[in-house]
Amino acid sequence: MTAATIPGLDQAPTAASGACLDWVRNVAELTTPQRVVWCDGTDDEWRRLTTAMVKAGTLVRLRQKPNSFWCATDPTDAAPADEHTTSAPSGNRRRAHEQLDGALPR
């Protein structure tokens, strides 16, 4: 699937910069998602996303606290072991863009 055929890719917000659009297109071609969803931060988006996660069983609404949820994560989705974490020689963890430097085609 090319970026041109990925649903949602052409529905970018009008405020998105050309650099942002190019980056999303490049990542979409590398990762071949089923669809691209652009977040706009509206209340409608929040309701749509939280309702979908409640229906999927990922979130459980808390009756005592409005707009609060309990999140049920997948037990197989665990944090990586330390031996898989990339560290710089100083012992500081490397930032994601530093780890990806050179991994993506230019």
Side-chain angles (χ1 to χ4, degrees):
M1 182 179 300
T2 65
T5 61
I6 297 171
L9 192 58
D10 60 346
Q11 297 169 351
T14 55
S17 70
C20 175
L21 296 172
D22 290 343
W23 184 84
V24 171
R25 281 189 196 100
N26 288 337
V27 171
E29 286 193 4
L30 288 171
T31 59
T32 61
Q34 291 178 350
R35 67 174 192 246
V36 170
V37 177
W38 296 91
C39 296
D40 59 16
T42 61
D43 290 342
D44 181 54
E45 177 186 61
W46 181 86
R47 281 189 291 277
R48 193 172 58 252
L49 292 173
T50 56
T51 298
M53 288 188 278
V54 167
K55 285 182 181 179
T58 302
L59 295 181
V60 176
R61 291 186 189 276
L62 300 178
R63 287 183 290 235
Q64 299 84 355
K65 297 200 96 133
N67 299 325
S68 297
F69 304 88
W70 171 70
C71 182
T73 60
D74 184 334
T76 63
D77 184 17
D82 280 341
E83 64 266 13
H84 298 293
T85 303
T86 305
S87 295
S90 64
N92 295 329
R93 297 186 188 279
R94 294 174 62 197
R95 295 180 182 171
H97 73 276
E98 294 170 338
Q99 293 179 21
L100 290 175
D101 191 35
L104 299 176
R106 299 205 187 270

